[in-house]
Amino acid sequence: MQVLVDADACPSAVKEILFRAARREEIPVTLVANQYLRTPPSPFIKAIQVPAGFDVADARIVEMVAAGDLVITADIPLAAAVLDKGGHALDPRGNWFSRDNIQERLTVRDMMDQLRGTGVDTGGPDPYSARDSKAFAGQLDRFLARHRASARRSP
């Protein structure tokens, strides 16, 4: 199991949580972005810089993800592609994407894009908060605990 991060817009607080988890759990965490990213020295943490371009980082993540992997992203179409490949997708605010909610999220996203296209100001997400960071950390810890438990059960 690996953790892949859609890192271009990922809050730094989330990256720090992931860096600590990578070292503690000894799991590979890979940040994918179209800009240079500094990462702490660790055999479990790396960054991949992809060329600039629309959805280039997303395409690389989809190429790399395997069943059971965890992807951190707020990008709904990327989350849908991850779910299609049997991966897990968690947003930086601690919300899971699932087969049960992905279609609704895609529909709302498309509707908001259409509204913005007509000039309607739809606002944006609330600023990232300490509460969001705590929710993310809690969901990540629960996921990793389940992963550890299933790894112990497997021969």
Side-chain angles (χ1 to χ4, degrees):
M1 195 273 300
Q2 66 178 331
V3 178
L4 299 166
V5 184
D6 183 8
D8 281 317
C10 186
S12 58
V14 168
K15 292 175 194 167
E16 291 301 320
I17 291 166
L18 290 166
F19 296 158
R20 286 192 302 272
R23 289 187 294 260
R24 181 182 70 240
E25 302 289 330
E26 298 185 349
I27 55 168
V29 171
T30 303
L31 287 78
V32 181
N34 60 22
Q35 59 189 340
Y36 172 78
L37 294 172
R38 185 176 301 219
T39 59
S42 169
F44 304 106
I45 302 167
K46 71 178 180 177
I48 296 174
Q49 184 176 355
V50 297
F54 185 71
D55 288 342
V56 175
D58 296 357
R60 183 63 182 271
I61 291 169
V62 171
E63 177 184 298
M64 294 172 65
V65 73
D69 288 348
L70 174 61
V71 174
I72 309 303
T73 185
D75 185 292
I76 300 167
L78 172 57
V82 167
L83 293 174
D84 286 344
K85 290 191 75 175
H88 306 277
L90 178 63
D91 80 13
R93 295 177 189 267
N95 300 305
W96 288 101
F97 294 97
S98 69
R99 285 277 144 232
D100 294 333
N101 68 21
I102 196 70
Q103 190 56 53
E104 177 185 344
R105 288 183 179 210
L106 285 166
T107 301
V108 169
R109 176 193 171 273
D110 291 344
M111 181 186 71
M112 297 303 272
D113 280 348
Q114 288 175 354
L115 285 172
R116 282 188 292 274
T118 64
V120 173
D121 181 7
T122 60
D126 291 334
Y128 194 78
S129 69
R131 175 180 282 173
D132 295 325
S133 186
K134 185 175 181 178
F136 175 81
Q139 290 296 336
L140 178 66
D141 284 347
R142 284 188 277 287
F143 177 85
L144 294 174
R146 286 192 306 271
H147 173 72
R148 270 192 315 275
S150 69
R152 281 193 292 265
R153 286 192 302 266
S154 298

